mmCIF file with all atom_site columns, all heavy atoms in Angstrom:
data_model
loop_
_atom_site.group_PDB
_atom_site.id
_atom_site.type_symbol
_atom_site.label_atom_id
_atom_site.label_alt_id
_atom_site.label_comp_id
_atom_site.label_asym_id
_atom_site.label_entity_id
_atom_site.label_seq_id
_atom_site.pdbx_PDB_ins_code
_atom_site.Cartn_x
_atom_site.Cartn_y
_atom_site.Cartn_z
_atom_site.occupancy
_atom_site.B_iso_or_equiv
_atom_site.pdbx_formal_charge
_atom_site.auth_seq_id
_atom_site.auth_comp_id
_atom_site.auth_asym_id
_atom_site.auth_atom_id
_atom_site.pdbx_PDB_model_num
ATOM 1  N N   . VAL A 1 195 ? 76.746 -168.470 -132.383 1.00 0.00 ? 517 VAL A N   1
ATOM 2  C CA  . VAL A 1 195 ? 76.257 -167.531 -131.375 1.00 0.00 ? 517 VAL A CA  1
ATOM 3  C C   . VAL A 1 195 ? 77.375 -167.284 -130.372 1.00 0.00 ? 517 VAL A C   1
ATOM 4  O O   . VAL A 1 195 ? 77.977 -168.228 -129.859 1.00 0.00 ? 517 VAL A O   1
ATOM 5  C CB  . VAL A 1 195 ? 75.021 -168.097 -130.640 1.00 0.00 ? 517 VAL A CB  1
ATOM 6  C CG1 . VAL A 1 195 ? 74.573 -167.121 -129.546 1.00 0.00 ? 517 VAL A CG1 1
ATOM 7  C CG2 . VAL A 1 195 ? 73.890 -168.363 -131.616 1.00 0.00 ? 517 VAL A CG2 1
ATOM 8  N N   . SER A 1 196 ? 77.633 -166.019 -130.105 1.00 0.00 ? 518 SER A N   1
ATOM 9  C CA  . SER A 1 196 ? 78.668 -165.694 -129.128 1.00 0.00 ? 518 SER A CA  1
ATOM 10 C C   . SER A 1 196 ? 78.219 -164.506 -128.296 1.00 0.00 ? 518 SER A C   1
ATOM 11 O O   . SER A 1 196 ? 77.677 -163.535 -128.835 1.00 0.00 ? 518 SER A O   1
ATOM 12 C CB  . SER A 1 196 ? 79.996 -165.388 -129.825 1.00 0.00 ? 518 SER A CB  1
ATOM 13 O OG  . SER A 1 196 ? 81.035 -165.206 -128.885 1.00 0.00 ? 518 SER A OG  1
ATOM 14 N N   . GLY A 1 197 ? 78.420 -164.606 -126.996 1.00 0.00 ? 519 GLY A N   1
ATOM 15 C CA  . GLY A 1 197 ? 78.005 -163.543 -126.091 1.00 0.00 ? 519 GLY A CA  1
ATOM 16 C C   . GLY A 1 197 ? 79.169 -162.883 -125.399 1.00 0.00 ? 519 GLY A C   1
ATOM 17 O O   . GLY A 1 197 ? 79.666 -161.845 -125.812 1.00 0.00 ? 519 GLY A O   1
ATOM 18 N N   . SER A 1 198 ? 79.641 -163.508 -124.338 1.00 0.00 ? 520 SER A N   1
ATOM 19 C CA  . SER A 1 198 ? 80.715 -162.932 -123.530 1.00 0.00 ? 520 SER A CA  1
ATOM 20 C C   . SER A 1 198 ? 81.954 -162.637 -124.353 1.00 0.00 ? 520 SER A C   1
ATOM 21 O O   . SER A 1 198 ? 82.595 -161.591 -124.175 1.00 0.00 ? 520 SER A O   1
ATOM 22 C CB  . SER A 1 198 ? 81.077 -163.885 -122.383 1.00 0.00 ? 520 SER A CB  1
ATOM 23 O OG  . SER A 1 198 ? 79.968 -164.153 -121.562 1.00 0.00 ? 520 SER A OG  1
ATOM 24 N N   . TYR A 1 199 ? 82.311 -163.533 -125.261 1.00 0.00 ? 521 TYR A N   1
ATOM 25 C CA  . TYR A 1 199 ? 83.522 -163.353 -126.069 1.00 0.00 ? 521 TYR A CA  1
ATOM 26 C C   . TYR A 1 199 ? 83.459 -162.075 -126.904 1.00 0.00 ? 521 TYR A C   1
ATOM 27 O O   . TYR A 1 199 ? 84.482 -161.431 -127.137 1.00 0.00 ? 521 TYR A O   1
ATOM 28 C CB  . TYR A 1 199 ? 83.715 -164.570 -126.974 1.00 0.00 ? 521 TYR A CB  1
ATOM 29 C CG  . TYR A 1 199 ? 84.913 -164.464 -127.896 1.00 0.00 ? 521 TYR A CG  1
ATOM 30 C CD1 . TYR A 1 199 ? 86.206 -164.583 -127.399 1.00 0.00 ? 521 TYR A CD1 1
ATOM 31 C CD2 . TYR A 1 199 ? 84.742 -164.243 -129.259 1.00 0.00 ? 521 TYR A CD2 1
ATOM 32 C CE1 . TYR A 1 199 ? 87.305 -164.485 -128.242 1.00 0.00 ? 521 TYR A CE1 1
ATOM 33 C CE2 . TYR A 1 199 ? 85.839 -164.146 -130.105 1.00 0.00 ? 521 TYR A CE2 1
ATOM 34 C CZ  . TYR A 1 199 ? 87.103 -164.265 -129.593 1.00 0.00 ? 521 TYR A CZ  1
ATOM 35 O OH  . TYR A 1 199 ? 88.193 -164.157 -130.430 1.00 0.00 ? 521 TYR A OH  1
ATOM 36 N N   . LEU A 1 200 ? 82.260 -161.705 -127.322 1.00 0.00 ? 522 LEU A N   1
ATOM 37 C CA  . LEU A 1 200 ? 82.111 -160.491 -128.124 1.00 0.00 ? 522 LEU A CA  1
ATOM 38 C C   . LEU A 1 200 ? 81.908 -159.252 -127.258 1.00 0.00 ? 522 LEU A C   1
ATOM 39 O O   . LEU A 1 200 ? 82.598 -158.248 -127.416 1.00 0.00 ? 522 LEU A O   1
ATOM 40 C CB  . LEU A 1 200 ? 80.937 -160.645 -129.099 1.00 0.00 ? 522 LEU A CB  1
ATOM 41 C CG  . LEU A 1 200 ? 81.101 -161.700 -130.192 1.00 0.00 ? 522 LEU A CG  1
ATOM 42 C CD1 . LEU A 1 200 ? 79.878 -161.707 -131.103 1.00 0.00 ? 522 LEU A CD1 1
ATOM 43 C CD2 . LEU A 1 200 ? 82.365 -161.459 -131.019 1.00 0.00 ? 522 LEU A CD2 1
ATOM 44 N N   . TYR A 1 201 ? 80.960 -159.312 -126.335 1.00 0.00 ? 523 TYR A N   1
ATOM 45 C CA  . TYR A 1 201 ? 80.588 -158.101 -125.598 1.00 0.00 ? 523 TYR A CA  1
ATOM 46 C C   . TYR A 1 201 ? 81.600 -157.700 -124.526 1.00 0.00 ? 523 TYR A C   1
ATOM 47 O O   . TYR A 1 201 ? 81.620 -156.540 -124.108 1.00 0.00 ? 523 TYR A O   1
ATOM 48 C CB  . TYR A 1 201 ? 79.194 -158.260 -124.992 1.00 0.00 ? 523 TYR A CB  1
ATOM 49 C CG  . TYR A 1 201 ? 78.111 -158.145 -126.033 1.00 0.00 ? 523 TYR A CG  1
ATOM 50 C CD1 . TYR A 1 201 ? 77.472 -159.274 -126.517 1.00 0.00 ? 523 TYR A CD1 1
ATOM 51 C CD2 . TYR A 1 201 ? 77.757 -156.906 -126.570 1.00 0.00 ? 523 TYR A CD2 1
ATOM 52 C CE1 . TYR A 1 201 ? 76.487 -159.174 -127.495 1.00 0.00 ? 523 TYR A CE1 1
ATOM 53 C CE2 . TYR A 1 201 ? 76.781 -156.801 -127.541 1.00 0.00 ? 523 TYR A CE2 1
ATOM 54 C CZ  . TYR A 1 201 ? 76.153 -157.940 -128.004 1.00 0.00 ? 523 TYR A CZ  1
ATOM 55 O OH  . TYR A 1 201 ? 75.186 -157.841 -128.982 1.00 0.00 ? 523 TYR A OH  1
ATOM 56 N N   . LYS A 1 202 ? 82.439 -158.634 -124.102 1.00 0.00 ? 524 LYS A N   1
ATOM 57 C CA  . LYS A 1 202 ? 83.476 -158.285 -123.130 1.00 0.00 ? 524 LYS A CA  1
ATOM 58 C C   . LYS A 1 202 ? 84.774 -157.852 -123.819 1.00 0.00 ? 524 LYS A C   1
ATOM 59 O O   . LYS A 1 202 ? 85.735 -157.454 -123.155 1.00 0.00 ? 524 LYS A O   1
ATOM 60 C CB  . LYS A 1 202 ? 83.776 -159.472 -122.203 1.00 0.00 ? 524 LYS A CB  1
ATOM 61 C CG  . LYS A 1 202 ? 82.558 -160.063 -121.501 1.00 0.00 ? 524 LYS A CG  1
ATOM 62 C CD  . LYS A 1 202 ? 81.766 -159.038 -120.705 1.00 0.00 ? 524 LYS A CD  1
ATOM 63 C CE  . LYS A 1 202 ? 80.567 -159.705 -120.025 1.00 0.00 ? 524 LYS A CE  1
ATOM 64 N NZ  . LYS A 1 202 ? 79.662 -158.726 -119.395 1.00 0.00 ? 524 LYS A NZ  1
ATOM 65 N N   . ALA A 1 203 ? 84.782 -157.890 -125.136 1.00 0.00 ? 525 ALA A N   1
ATOM 66 C CA  . ALA A 1 203 ? 85.996 -157.548 -125.886 1.00 0.00 ? 525 ALA A CA  1
ATOM 67 C C   . ALA A 1 203 ? 86.164 -156.042 -126.025 1.00 0.00 ? 525 ALA A C   1
ATOM 68 O O   . ALA A 1 203 ? 85.184 -155.310 -126.182 1.00 0.00 ? 525 ALA A O   1
ATOM 69 C CB  . ALA A 1 203 ? 85.944 -158.184 -127.271 1.00 0.00 ? 525 ALA A CB  1
ATOM 70 N N   . GLU A 1 204 ? 87.400 -155.581 -125.958 1.00 0.00 ? 526 GLU A N   1
ATOM 71 C CA  . GLU A 1 204 ? 87.681 -154.175 -126.227 1.00 0.00 ? 526 GLU A CA  1
ATOM 72 C C   . GLU A 1 204 ? 87.452 -153.869 -127.699 1.00 0.00 ? 526 GLU A C   1
ATOM 73 O O   . GLU A 1 204 ? 86.977 -152.798 -128.059 1.00 0.00 ? 526 GLU A O   1
ATOM 74 C CB  . GLU A 1 204 ? 89.126 -153.834 -125.836 1.00 0.00 ? 526 GLU A CB  1
ATOM 75 C CG  . GLU A 1 204 ? 89.377 -153.789 -124.343 1.00 0.00 ? 526 GLU A CG  1
ATOM 76 C CD  . GLU A 1 204 ? 90.756 -153.272 -124.000 1.00 0.00 ? 526 GLU A CD  1
ATOM 77 O OE1 . GLU A 1 204 ? 91.385 -152.642 -124.882 1.00 0.00 ? 526 GLU A OE1 1
ATOM 78 O OE2 . GLU A 1 204 ? 91.199 -153.484 -122.869 1.00 0.00 ? 526 GLU A OE2 1
ATOM 79 N N   . ASN A 1 205 ? 87.790 -154.830 -128.548 1.00 0.00 ? 527 ASN A N   1
ATOM 80 C CA  . ASN A 1 205 ? 87.617 -154.677 -129.994 1.00 0.00 ? 527 ASN A CA  1
ATOM 81 C C   . ASN A 1 205 ? 86.714 -155.800 -130.491 1.00 0.00 ? 527 ASN A C   1
ATOM 82 O O   . ASN A 1 205 ? 87.186 -156.876 -130.844 1.00 0.00 ? 527 ASN A O   1
ATOM 83 C CB  . ASN A 1 205 ? 88.979 -154.707 -130.692 1.00 0.00 ? 527 ASN A CB  1
ATOM 84 C CG  . ASN A 1 205 ? 88.887 -154.343 -132.167 1.00 0.00 ? 527 ASN A CG  1
ATOM 85 O OD1 . ASN A 1 205 ? 87.867 -154.571 -132.815 1.00 0.00 ? 527 ASN A OD1 1
ATOM 86 N ND2 . ASN A 1 205 ? 89.949 -153.778 -132.711 1.00 0.00 ? 527 ASN A ND2 1
ATOM 87 N N   . MET A 1 206 ? 85.403 -155.547 -130.516 1.00 0.00 ? 528 MET A N   1
ATOM 88 C CA  . MET A 1 206 ? 84.463 -156.582 -130.917 1.00 0.00 ? 528 MET A CA  1
ATOM 89 C C   . MET A 1 206 ? 84.663 -156.987 -132.373 1.00 0.00 ? 528 MET A C   1
ATOM 90 O O   . MET A 1 206 ? 84.575 -158.163 -132.716 1.00 0.00 ? 528 MET A O   1
ATOM 91 C CB  . MET A 1 206 ? 83.018 -156.119 -130.695 1.00 0.00 ? 528 MET A CB  1
ATOM 92 C CG  . MET A 1 206 ? 82.001 -157.222 -130.985 1.00 0.00 ? 528 MET A CG  1
ATOM 93 S SD  . MET A 1 206 ? 80.275 -156.696 -130.953 1.00 0.00 ? 528 MET A SD  1
ATOM 94 C CE  . MET A 1 206 ? 80.017 -156.455 -129.194 1.00 0.00 ? 528 MET A CE  1
ATOM 95 N N   . ALA A 1 207 ? 84.942 -156.028 -133.239 1.00 0.00 ? 529 ALA A N   1
ATOM 96 C CA  . ALA A 1 207 ? 85.126 -156.320 -134.672 1.00 0.00 ? 529 ALA A CA  1
ATOM 97 C C   . ALA A 1 207 ? 86.263 -157.323 -134.887 1.00 0.00 ? 529 ALA A C   1
ATOM 98 O O   . ALA A 1 207 ? 86.152 -158.223 -135.731 1.00 0.00 ? 529 ALA A O   1
ATOM 99 C CB  . ALA A 1 207 ? 85.388 -155.029 -135.450 1.00 0.00 ? 529 ALA A CB  1
#
Side-chain angles (χ1 to χ4, degrees):
V517 177
S518 186
S520 302
Y521 178 73
L522 294 182
Y523 285 103
K524 306 305 180 188
E526 288 188 18
N527 189 331
M528 185 188 288

